[in-house]
Amino acid sequence: MKWKLIGDILIVDTKFHYESNEDLEFLSKKHNAKTIMKIDHIAGTKREPIYNVLYGSETETINKENGCLFKLDLAKVMWSKGNNNERLRIAKLVGDGEIVLDMFAGIGYFSIPIGVHSNAKHIYSIEINPNSYFYLNENIRLNKLDNITPILGDCMEHAPKFKADRIVMGYVKTTHHYLKVAINSLNDGGILHYHETVPEKLMKTRPIERIISQAGNRDVELLKINKIKKYAPGVEHVVVDVRID
């Protein structure tokens, strides 16, 4: 059985099968979980979970990761456990005094670690889902951060209002449609972290070509292509780090 523990909620694989409620109670005690859930998939641009509660009733929890606290309701917002190394990697790259723009911020997946582990001057965090935005605010308070400004709305509308030294694009479905507004908001010499799901054979070409096509006459320097995880057979979730002058 594939499973992951998020706070004190156990998420089981969609193929998980059980014989009785006693099986679920045993599993709950084994993992010290108050609730057991199946999350079938994440739907739409607001990244809302399609789920089924198998045991218990509470779906809100606090998850601890990389010295950060994340409060969330797994019936309302997504959590990608496979991205934990990437969240810390980005936080450690942020230089002193940087202005950071976090597009598709969610509950603060990247914003919170940056706030906790770096000396960024300020972080602007844009999120379209009101539920995620609520928990973004909760997590800013929970981690006692005073350098994050949460913004509720569409990145297309709000990103052009800012100029940043570093921009995180931590969404994979239609992220390339937002490249132009992201690049226009990036200061000269700034760093872009662009997420994409891409066939393995196109991993070294398609993401960077998409960035270059939206950069106009600005120079694009490839810094790194970082594999996050397998997204589907033959498809990788990657992050492309580039400097744009």
Side-chain angles (χ1 to χ4, degrees):
M1 180 191 75
K2 293 182 179 179
W3 59 272
K4 53 188 175 183
L5 192 65
I6 301 172
D8 53 2
I9 297 177
L10 186 69
I11 306 297
V12 295
D13 188 84
T14 53
K15 297 179 182 178
F16 169 72
H17 176 74
Y18 64 96
E19 297 293 337
S20 65
N21 288 333
E22 285 75 17
D23 291 343
L24 293 174
E25 186 174 0
F26 171 80
L27 195 60
S28 170
K29 290 179 178 178
K30 178 181 178 181
H31 295 285
N32 197 26
K34 65 183 180 185
T35 304
I36 301 175
M37 299 175 66
K38 280 185 183 181
I39 296 179
D40 183 64
H41 65 280
I42 304 298
T45 57
K46 292 185 179 180
R47 297 177 284 181
E48 296 172 317
I50 306 302
Y51 69 94
N52 185 22
V53 175
L54 305 180
Y55 178 87
S57 59
E58 294 182 54
T59 54
E60 186 177 82
T61 189
I62 295 178
N63 192 54
K64 297 178 181 179
E65 177 189 275
N66 296 324
C68 304
L69 299 174
F70 293 93
K71 188 177 183 180
L72 71 161
D73 188 332
L74 288 161
K76 296 178 180 179
V77 301
M78 63 166 282
W79 176 264
S80 182
K81 196 172 179 68
N83 292 355
N84 58 343
N85 291 333
E86 179 64 14
R87 291 189 274 265
L88 185 59
R89 181 184 81 92
I90 295 299
K92 290 187 174 181
L93 289 176
V94 175
D96 293 351
E98 283 190 4
I99 301 293
V100 179
L101 177 60
D102 184 8
M103 299 171 66
F104 323 103
I107 65 170
Y109 311 105
F110 289 96
S111 294
I112 298 301
I114 292 170
V116 169
H117 294 292
S118 81
N119 290 314
K121 182 177 180 179
H122 206 81
I123 304 150
Y124 296 97
S125 308
I126 306 173
E127 174 53 39
I128 196 171
N129 183 332
N131 289 321
S132 296
Y133 175 77
F134 170 81
Y135 285 105
L136 172 59
N137 281 275
E138 288 287 289
N139 292 327
I140 292 169
R141 287 191 288 268
L142 194 60
N143 290 276
K144 300 178 180 178
L145 299 170
D146 60 5
N147 63 342
I148 301 178
T149 298
I151 300 152
L152 177 62
D154 192 331
C155 291
M156 260 329 167
E157 176 186 352
H158 291 283
K161 300 175 183 178
F162 303 99
K163 283 291 184 179
D165 303 304
R166 186 178 303 269
I167 297 179
V168 181
M169 303 181 74
Y171 179 59
V172 295
K173 290 293 181 68
T174 56
T175 325
H176 60 285
H177 295 309
Y178 294 81
L179 272 170
K180 187 68 173 178
V181 296
I183 291 169
N184 287 345
S185 294
L186 195 63
N187 290 327
D188 284 343
I191 306 296
L192 181 70
H193 303 285
Y194 166 65
H195 289 239
E196 184 176 316
T197 52
V198 58
E200 289 178 352
K201 61 183 180 181
L202 299 177
M203 190 176 72
K204 295 182 179 180
T205 56
R206 192 179 78 179
I208 189 67
E209 287 173 356
R210 282 178 164 172
I211 294 170
I212 291 171
S213 73
Q214 297 301 315
N217 60 0
R218 299 178 71 178
D219 293 330
V220 177
E221 177 189 357
L222 176 62
L223 302 176
K224 186 174 185 179
I225 298 177
N226 199 39
K227 282 187 183 182
I228 303 301
K229 59 186 176 183
K230 185 77 67 177
Y231 185 80
V235 179
E236 294 282 349
H237 172 185
V238 302
V239 180
V240 180
D241 300 349
V242 296
R243 178 179 286 107
I244 298 181
D245 294 317

